[in-house]
Amino acid sequence: MSLVDALDPRACCPHLVMVMGKGGVGKTTLSILLAMELSSSGKTMLLSLDPAKHLAKYLGLEGEAGEVEGGIYVKQVSVEKEVERITSQYADLIRELMPSLSVLNLDSAADALKYFPGVEEEVLLRRLEEALKSGYDYVVVDTPPTGVALRTLALPKLYLIWLDKLIEIRERIVSLRYAIARTLGRRVEIRDKALLKLYEMRDKFGALGEVLSSSSRTSYVVVATPEPLPMYELRETVGFLRSRLGVDPKLLVLNKVLPEGLAAGLGQLGVQRRSLEELKSFGASYAVVEHLGRPTESISDIKELRSRVRVWRP
Ligand SMILES: Nc1ncnc2c1ncn2[C@@H]1O[C@H](COP(=O)(O)OP(=O)(O)O)[C@@H](O)[C@H]1O
Ligand SMILES: [Mg+2]
């Protein structure tokens, strides 16, 4: 069975494949492997949300986006640049919606916004949202390390709670304004730009939240190496997916697995076997990827890894 058989990504368009796990376990490597396999059955985008730009290096990508071997379209998101862009967009939006606030120095407020908690996650979420509208059959996402990835996935639901409250407040303001104007015998514009913007955001994040918690639209792949910390993060990630998004992972991957003799010599056989047993216990499809014996450094190394992947369905 191949990696893609384990995902069974029938529903499109596109089908998202989120590759998650601790830094260094092989998310980027696995993302490339998955994109290579998927690209033989549909238009594939490989979206890197990982600030470590290894993807571009492996694939010899010049710049931030482009087509690479096998017809895969690769896009590397530069978080710092995007943060600049969205904070100034927010300042423009406030200027447009609330001209009376222009007495404040919005540019310096936008500058401060760059350092707000959650801005990075918002950037990643927007890029995901754009990728969903890009016309690809498959979008493979090389995610940032676990903490940021989980906060990003939690964001749509959190936004919906805020937006519902904000909409309620704004609707009250608009209806009061209307009642006052009528009492004074004045004509009043019923369309409220701020309220329309809030409705638009609620639709957008609602739809994105649905895609992310639908196992037919999104496949979660969680990668670990046979070591305690990566396995701990895998467990945390699976728990988060189940409790917060209501989805099961489609595929769990144990990467950099050593031949048993070598693992025994290094005193790692016990932890390697326990990791594999734990992987099986989740009841999802799982894969074992052997250690290549040297770091994978080029696309040809990654191709070589393809023959060292074994996949099982529970
Ligand atoms: N199966 C493997 N065999 C050998 N080296 C690997 C394997 N998988 C990943 N690597 C190496 O491990 C390091 C981390 O892999 P990478 O895919 O960049 O991880 P992540 O994206 O999770 O940080 C890289 O140097 C990569 O070349
Ligand atoms: Mg990476």
Short mmCIF file of all heavy atoms in Angstrom, two decimals, residues 156-201:
data_model
loop_
_atom_site.label_atom_id
_atom_site.label_comp_id
_atom_site.label_asym_id
_atom_site.label_seq_id
_atom_site.Cartn_x
_atom_site.Cartn_y
_atom_site.Cartn_z
N PRO A 156 -10.08 29.22 13.64
CA PRO A 156 -11.40 29.48 13.06
C PRO A 156 -12.54 29.39 14.09
O PRO A 156 -13.40 30.28 14.12
CB PRO A 156 -11.55 28.39 11.99
CG PRO A 156 -10.17 28.05 11.61
CD PRO A 156 -9.35 28.20 12.85
N LYS A 157 -12.49 28.39 14.97
CA LYS A 157 -13.57 28.26 15.95
C LYS A 157 -13.56 29.44 16.92
O LYS A 157 -14.62 29.94 17.30
CB LYS A 157 -13.44 26.95 16.73
CG LYS A 157 -14.07 25.79 16.00
CD LYS A 157 -14.27 24.59 16.89
CE LYS A 157 -14.91 23.46 16.09
NZ LYS A 157 -14.66 22.16 16.69
N LEU A 158 -12.36 29.85 17.30
CA LEU A 158 -12.22 30.97 18.23
C LEU A 158 -12.76 32.25 17.57
O LEU A 158 -13.51 33.03 18.16
CB LEU A 158 -10.74 31.13 18.55
CG LEU A 158 -10.34 32.01 19.70
CD1 LEU A 158 -10.95 31.45 20.98
CD2 LEU A 158 -8.82 32.04 19.84
N TYR A 159 -12.39 32.45 16.29
CA TYR A 159 -12.87 33.63 15.55
C TYR A 159 -14.40 33.65 15.50
O TYR A 159 -15.01 34.70 15.59
CB TYR A 159 -12.33 33.62 14.13
CG TYR A 159 -10.96 34.22 13.98
CD1 TYR A 159 -10.24 34.06 12.80
CD2 TYR A 159 -10.39 34.97 14.99
CE1 TYR A 159 -8.99 34.62 12.63
CE2 TYR A 159 -9.12 35.53 14.82
CZ TYR A 159 -8.43 35.36 13.65
OH TYR A 159 -7.20 35.90 13.48
N LEU A 160 -14.99 32.47 15.30
CA LEU A 160 -16.45 32.44 15.17
C LEU A 160 -17.11 32.91 16.46
O LEU A 160 -18.11 33.61 16.43
CB LEU A 160 -16.94 31.05 14.79
CG LEU A 160 -16.67 30.66 13.34
CD1 LEU A 160 -17.29 29.30 13.04
CD2 LEU A 160 -17.23 31.69 12.36
N ILE A 161 -16.53 32.54 17.60
CA ILE A 161 -17.09 32.98 18.88
C ILE A 161 -17.00 34.50 18.98
O ILE A 161 -17.98 35.19 19.30
CB ILE A 161 -16.34 32.31 20.06
CG1 ILE A 161 -16.53 30.79 20.01
CG2 ILE A 161 -16.82 32.87 21.41
CD1 ILE A 161 -15.69 30.02 21.00
N TRP A 162 -15.82 35.06 18.64
CA TRP A 162 -15.66 36.51 18.69
C TRP A 162 -16.59 37.21 17.71
O TRP A 162 -17.24 38.19 18.03
CB TRP A 162 -14.21 36.91 18.32
CG TRP A 162 -13.19 36.55 19.34
CD1 TRP A 162 -13.40 36.28 20.65
CD2 TRP A 162 -11.78 36.43 19.10
NE1 TRP A 162 -12.21 35.99 21.25
CE2 TRP A 162 -11.20 36.08 20.34
CE3 TRP A 162 -10.95 36.58 17.99
CZ2 TRP A 162 -9.83 35.87 20.48
CZ3 TRP A 162 -9.60 36.38 18.13
CH2 TRP A 162 -9.04 36.03 19.37
N LEU A 163 -16.62 36.66 16.49
CA LEU A 163 -17.40 37.33 15.45
C LEU A 163 -18.89 37.35 15.79
O LEU A 163 -19.56 38.36 15.57
CB LEU A 163 -17.16 36.65 14.09
CG LEU A 163 -15.80 37.00 13.47
CD1 LEU A 163 -15.45 36.03 12.36
CD2 LEU A 163 -15.81 38.44 12.93
N ASP A 164 -19.40 36.24 16.33
CA ASP A 164 -20.82 36.23 16.72
C ASP A 164 -21.11 37.33 17.72
O ASP A 164 -22.11 38.03 17.62
CB ASP A 164 -21.19 34.87 17.33
CG ASP A 164 -21.46 33.83 16.24
OD1 ASP A 164 -21.74 34.25 15.09
OD2 ASP A 164 -21.38 32.63 16.53
N LYS A 165 -20.20 37.52 18.67
CA LYS A 165 -20.40 38.54 19.70
C LYS A 165 -20.31 39.94 19.06
O LYS A 165 -21.15 40.81 19.33
CB LYS A 165 -19.33 38.37 20.79
CG LYS A 165 -19.61 39.10 22.07
CD LYS A 165 -20.77 38.46 22.80
CE LYS A 165 -21.42 39.44 23.76
NZ LYS A 165 -22.75 39.00 24.20
N LEU A 166 -19.29 40.14 18.21
CA LEU A 166 -19.11 41.45 17.58
C LEU A 166 -20.31 41.79 16.68
O LEU A 166 -20.77 42.94 16.64
CB LEU A 166 -17.83 41.47 16.72
CG LEU A 166 -16.52 41.49 17.51
CD1 LEU A 166 -15.34 41.34 16.56
CD2 LEU A 166 -16.39 42.80 18.30
N ILE A 167 -20.81 40.78 15.99
CA ILE A 167 -21.96 41.00 15.11
C ILE A 167 -23.17 41.42 15.94
O ILE A 167 -23.89 42.36 15.58
CB ILE A 167 -22.23 39.73 14.26
CG1 ILE A 167 -21.18 39.63 13.16
CG2 ILE A 167 -23.64 39.75 13.66
CD1 ILE A 167 -21.19 38.34 12.37
N GLU A 168 -23.35 40.75 17.07
CA GLU A 168 -24.47 41.08 17.94
C GLU A 168 -24.39 42.56 18.40
O GLU A 168 -25.36 43.30 18.32
CB GLU A 168 -24.39 40.15 19.16
CG GLU A 168 -25.61 40.10 20.03
CD GLU A 168 -25.29 39.24 21.28
OE1 GLU A 168 -24.79 38.10 21.12
OE2 GLU A 168 -25.51 39.74 22.39
N ILE A 169 -23.19 42.97 18.80
CA ILE A 169 -23.00 44.35 19.28
C ILE A 169 -23.24 45.34 18.13
O ILE A 169 -23.95 46.32 18.27
CB ILE A 169 -21.58 44.54 19.85
CG1 ILE A 169 -21.40 43.66 21.09
CG2 ILE A 169 -21.29 46.00 20.18
CD1 ILE A 169 -19.96 43.58 21.60
N ARG A 170 -22.64 45.02 16.96
CA ARG A 170 -22.76 45.95 15.82
C ARG A 170 -24.22 46.04 15.35
O ARG A 170 -24.68 47.12 14.99
CB ARG A 170 -21.85 45.45 14.69
CG ARG A 170 -21.68 46.44 13.56
CD ARG A 170 -20.83 47.62 13.97
NE ARG A 170 -21.00 48.75 13.05
CZ ARG A 170 -20.51 49.96 13.26
NH1 ARG A 170 -19.82 50.24 14.34
NH2 ARG A 170 -20.71 50.92 12.38
N GLU A 171 -24.92 44.92 15.35
CA GLU A 171 -26.33 44.95 14.93
C GLU A 171 -27.14 45.85 15.86
O GLU A 171 -28.01 46.60 15.42
CB GLU A 171 -26.93 43.54 14.91
CG GLU A 171 -26.54 42.74 13.67
CD GLU A 171 -26.99 41.28 13.72
OE1 GLU A 171 -27.30 40.78 14.82
OE2 GLU A 171 -27.00 40.64 12.64
N ARG A 172 -26.81 45.80 17.15
CA ARG A 172 -27.51 46.64 18.11
C ARG A 172 -27.23 48.12 17.84
O ARG A 172 -28.13 48.95 17.82
CB ARG A 172 -27.11 46.27 19.55
CG ARG A 172 -28.31 46.35 20.48
CD ARG A 172 -27.99 45.91 21.90
NE ARG A 172 -27.24 44.68 22.00
CZ ARG A 172 -26.26 44.47 22.90
NH1 ARG A 172 -25.92 45.41 23.75
NH2 ARG A 172 -25.64 43.33 22.94
N ILE A 173 -25.96 48.44 17.56
CA ILE A 173 -25.59 49.83 17.27
C ILE A 173 -26.34 50.32 16.03
O ILE A 173 -26.91 51.41 16.02
CB ILE A 173 -24.06 49.95 17.03
CG1 ILE A 173 -23.32 49.66 18.34
CG2 ILE A 173 -23.68 51.32 16.47
CD1 ILE A 173 -21.81 49.58 18.19
N VAL A 174 -26.33 49.47 14.99
CA VAL A 174 -26.96 49.88 13.73
C VAL A 174 -28.46 50.11 13.94
O VAL A 174 -29.03 51.10 13.44
CB VAL A 174 -26.69 48.84 12.62
CG1 VAL A 174 -27.50 49.13 11.37
CG2 VAL A 174 -25.21 48.81 12.28
N SER A 175 -29.11 49.23 14.69
CA SER A 175 -30.56 49.42 14.84
C SER A 175 -30.88 50.62 15.72
O SER A 175 -31.85 51.34 15.47
CB SER A 175 -31.24 48.14 15.33
OG SER A 175 -30.89 47.92 16.65
N LEU A 176 -30.02 50.88 16.71
CA LEU A 176 -30.23 52.10 17.53
C LEU A 176 -30.08 53.36 16.69
O LEU A 176 -30.87 54.29 16.76
CB LEU A 176 -29.20 52.15 18.67
CG LEU A 176 -29.56 51.37 19.93
CD1 LEU A 176 -28.40 51.38 20.91
CD2 LEU A 176 -30.80 51.99 20.59
N ARG A 177 -29.02 53.33 15.85
CA ARG A 177 -28.76 54.49 15.00
C ARG A 177 -29.95 54.74 14.08
O ARG A 177 -30.38 55.88 13.87
CB ARG A 177 -27.51 54.20 14.17
CG ARG A 177 -26.83 55.44 13.68
CD ARG A 177 -25.80 55.05 12.68
NE ARG A 177 -24.49 54.84 13.26
CZ ARG A 177 -23.53 54.15 12.68
NH1 ARG A 177 -23.74 53.57 11.52
NH2 ARG A 177 -22.37 54.03 13.25
N TYR A 178 -30.50 53.65 13.55
CA TYR A 178 -31.64 53.74 12.65
C TYR A 178 -32.85 54.32 13.40
O TYR A 178 -33.54 55.23 12.91
CB TYR A 178 -31.95 52.34 12.12
CG TYR A 178 -33.05 52.29 11.10
CD1 TYR A 178 -32.89 52.87 9.85
CD2 TYR A 178 -34.27 51.68 11.40
CE1 TYR A 178 -33.91 52.82 8.91
CE2 TYR A 178 -35.30 51.64 10.48
CZ TYR A 178 -35.11 52.21 9.23
OH TYR A 178 -36.11 52.18 8.31
N ALA A 179 -33.10 53.83 14.63
CA ALA A 179 -34.26 54.28 15.40
C ALA A 179 -34.14 55.78 15.72
O ALA A 179 -35.11 56.54 15.59
CB ALA A 179 -34.37 53.47 16.69
N ILE A 180 -32.91 56.18 16.08
CA ILE A 180 -32.71 57.60 16.42
C ILE A 180 -32.95 58.47 15.19
O ILE A 180 -33.66 59.47 15.24
CB ILE A 180 -31.28 57.82 16.98
CG1 ILE A 180 -31.14 57.12 18.32
CG2 ILE A 180 -30.96 59.32 17.13
CD1 ILE A 180 -29.73 57.04 18.87
N ALA A 181 -32.38 58.04 14.06
CA ALA A 181 -32.53 58.83 12.84
C ALA A 181 -34.00 58.97 12.45
O ALA A 181 -34.45 60.04 12.05
CB ALA A 181 -31.74 58.17 11.71
N ARG A 182 -34.72 57.86 12.61
CA ARG A 182 -36.15 57.92 12.25
C ARG A 182 -36.91 58.87 13.16
O ARG A 182 -37.76 59.64 12.72
CB ARG A 182 -36.77 56.52 12.33
CG ARG A 182 -36.60 55.83 10.99
CD ARG A 182 -37.34 54.55 10.92
NE ARG A 182 -38.68 54.63 11.53
CZ ARG A 182 -39.60 53.72 11.36
NH1 ARG A 182 -39.38 52.68 10.62
NH2 ARG A 182 -40.77 53.84 11.93
N THR A 183 -36.59 58.83 14.46
CA THR A 183 -37.25 59.73 15.41
C THR A 183 -36.99 61.18 15.04
O THR A 183 -37.84 62.04 15.16
CB THR A 183 -36.70 59.49 16.85
OG1 THR A 183 -36.47 58.11 17.02
CG2 THR A 183 -37.65 59.98 17.91
N LEU A 184 -35.76 61.42 14.55
CA LEU A 184 -35.41 62.80 14.17
C LEU A 184 -35.89 63.14 12.76
O LEU A 184 -35.64 64.23 12.27
CB LEU A 184 -33.89 62.99 14.25
CG LEU A 184 -33.28 62.81 15.65
CD1 LEU A 184 -31.76 62.92 15.57
CD2 LEU A 184 -33.83 63.83 16.64
N GLY A 185 -36.51 62.16 12.12
CA GLY A 185 -37.03 62.39 10.77
C GLY A 185 -35.95 62.45 9.71
O GLY A 185 -36.13 63.04 8.65
N ARG A 186 -34.76 61.83 10.00
CA ARG A 186 -33.67 61.86 9.01
C ARG A 186 -33.61 60.55 8.23
O ARG A 186 -33.98 59.51 8.75
CB ARG A 186 -32.32 62.02 9.73
CG ARG A 186 -32.14 63.39 10.28
CD ARG A 186 -30.65 63.59 10.60
NE ARG A 186 -30.51 64.70 11.49
CZ ARG A 186 -29.79 64.70 12.60
NH1 ARG A 186 -29.13 63.64 12.95
NH2 ARG A 186 -29.73 65.78 13.36
N ARG A 187 -33.07 60.66 7.02
CA ARG A 187 -32.85 59.44 6.25
C ARG A 187 -31.54 58.82 6.73
O ARG A 187 -30.62 59.53 7.11
CB ARG A 187 -32.66 59.80 4.77
CG ARG A 187 -33.97 59.82 4.00
CD ARG A 187 -33.69 60.28 2.58
NE ARG A 187 -32.66 59.44 1.94
CZ ARG A 187 -32.91 58.28 1.35
NH1 ARG A 187 -34.14 57.82 1.30
NH2 ARG A 187 -31.94 57.61 0.78
N VAL A 188 -31.49 57.50 6.75
CA VAL A 188 -30.24 56.88 7.21
C VAL A 188 -29.87 55.71 6.30
O VAL A 188 -30.75 55.00 5.80
CB VAL A 188 -30.38 56.45 8.69
CG1 VAL A 188 -31.41 55.37 8.87
CG2 VAL A 188 -29.05 55.98 9.25
N GLU A 189 -28.58 55.59 6.08
CA GLU A 189 -28.07 54.48 5.26
C GLU A 189 -28.20 53.18 6.05
O GLU A 189 -27.69 53.07 7.17
CB GLU A 189 -26.59 54.77 4.94
CG GLU A 189 -25.81 53.65 4.29
CD GLU A 189 -26.20 53.34 2.87
OE1 GLU A 189 -25.67 54.01 1.95
OE2 GLU A 189 -27.06 52.45 2.68
N ILE A 190 -28.92 52.21 5.49
CA ILE A 190 -29.12 50.96 6.24
C ILE A 190 -27.90 50.05 6.12
O ILE A 190 -27.54 49.36 7.05
CB ILE A 190 -30.40 50.22 5.75
CG1 ILE A 190 -31.61 51.11 6.02
CG2 ILE A 190 -30.57 48.89 6.47
CD1 ILE A 190 -32.92 50.54 5.55
N ARG A 191 -27.26 50.09 4.95
CA ARG A 191 -26.07 49.24 4.77
C ARG A 191 -24.94 49.73 5.66
O ARG A 191 -24.53 50.88 5.56
CB ARG A 191 -25.60 49.31 3.32
CG ARG A 191 -26.35 48.39 2.37
CD ARG A 191 -26.02 48.77 0.93
NE ARG A 191 -24.58 48.97 0.74
CZ ARG A 191 -23.77 47.99 0.34
NH1 ARG A 191 -24.24 46.80 0.08
NH2 ARG A 191 -22.48 48.22 0.20
N ASP A 192 -24.45 48.87 6.50
CA ASP A 192 -23.37 49.25 7.39
C ASP A 192 -22.13 48.46 6.98
O ASP A 192 -22.10 47.23 7.06
CB ASP A 192 -23.76 48.93 8.84
CG ASP A 192 -22.65 49.29 9.80
OD1 ASP A 192 -22.40 50.50 9.98
OD2 ASP A 192 -22.03 48.36 10.36
N LYS A 193 -21.09 49.20 6.51
CA LYS A 193 -19.91 48.53 5.96
C LYS A 193 -19.23 47.62 6.98
O LYS A 193 -18.76 46.53 6.65
CB LYS A 193 -18.89 49.58 5.50
CG LYS A 193 -19.16 50.14 4.14
CD LYS A 193 -17.96 50.96 3.73
CE LYS A 193 -18.25 51.85 2.56
NZ LYS A 193 -17.23 52.89 2.39
N ALA A 194 -19.18 48.09 8.23
CA ALA A 194 -18.51 47.28 9.26
C ALA A 194 -19.26 45.98 9.48
O ALA A 194 -18.66 44.90 9.58
CB ALA A 194 -18.39 48.06 10.55
N LEU A 195 -20.59 46.08 9.51
CA LEU A 195 -21.40 44.87 9.73
C LEU A 195 -21.24 43.89 8.56
O LEU A 195 -21.09 42.68 8.75
CB LEU A 195 -22.86 45.27 9.92
CG LEU A 195 -23.81 44.20 10.47
CD1 LEU A 195 -23.29 43.59 11.76
CD2 LEU A 195 -25.20 44.78 10.71
N LEU A 196 -21.22 44.45 7.35
CA LEU A 196 -21.05 43.57 6.18
C LEU A 196 -19.70 42.86 6.22
O LEU A 196 -19.58 41.68 5.87
CB LEU A 196 -21.18 44.38 4.88
CG LEU A 196 -22.58 44.94 4.60
CD1 LEU A 196 -22.58 45.78 3.33
CD2 LEU A 196 -23.61 43.80 4.48
N LYS A 197 -18.68 43.60 6.66
CA LYS A 197 -17.33 43.01 6.77
C LYS A 197 -17.35 41.87 7.80
O LYS A 197 -16.76 40.81 7.58
CB LYS A 197 -16.34 44.10 7.19
CG LYS A 197 -14.90 43.65 7.23
CD LYS A 197 -14.37 43.44 5.83
CE LYS A 197 -13.10 42.61 5.86
NZ LYS A 197 -12.69 42.22 4.50
N LEU A 198 -18.05 42.10 8.90
CA LEU A 198 -18.12 41.06 9.94
C LEU A 198 -18.85 39.82 9.42
O LEU A 198 -18.43 38.69 9.66
CB LEU A 198 -18.82 41.59 11.20
CG LEU A 198 -18.05 42.65 11.99
CD1 LEU A 198 -18.92 43.23 13.11
CD2 LEU A 198 -16.77 42.05 12.59
N TYR A 199 -19.93 40.02 8.66
CA TYR A 199 -20.64 38.87 8.08
C TYR A 199 -19.72 38.10 7.13
O TYR A 199 -19.69 36.88 7.13
CB TYR A 199 -21.87 39.33 7.28
CG TYR A 199 -23.04 39.85 8.09
CD1 TYR A 199 -23.87 40.85 7.58
CD2 TYR A 199 -23.34 39.33 9.36
CE1 TYR A 199 -24.96 41.32 8.30
CE2 TYR A 199 -24.41 39.81 10.09
CZ TYR A 199 -25.23 40.81 9.55
OH TYR A 199 -26.29 41.28 10.26
N GLU A 200 -18.97 38.89 6.32
CA GLU A 200 -18.07 38.26 5.34
C GLU A 200 -17.02 37.41 6.07
O GLU A 200 -16.72 36.28 5.67
CB GLU A 200 -17.39 39.38 4.54
CG GLU A 200 -16.42 38.92 3.48
CD GLU A 200 -15.47 40.04 3.07
OE1 GLU A 200 -15.94 41.17 2.79
OE2 GLU A 200 -14.25 39.79 3.06
N MET A 201 -16.48 37.96 7.17
CA MET A 201 -15.46 37.21 7.93
C MET A 201 -16.06 35.96 8.56
O MET A 201 -15.44 34.90 8.59
CB MET A 201 -14.82 38.10 9.01
CG MET A 201 -13.90 39.14 8.42
SD MET A 201 -13.36 40.33 9.66
CE MET A 201 -12.06 39.43 10.47
#
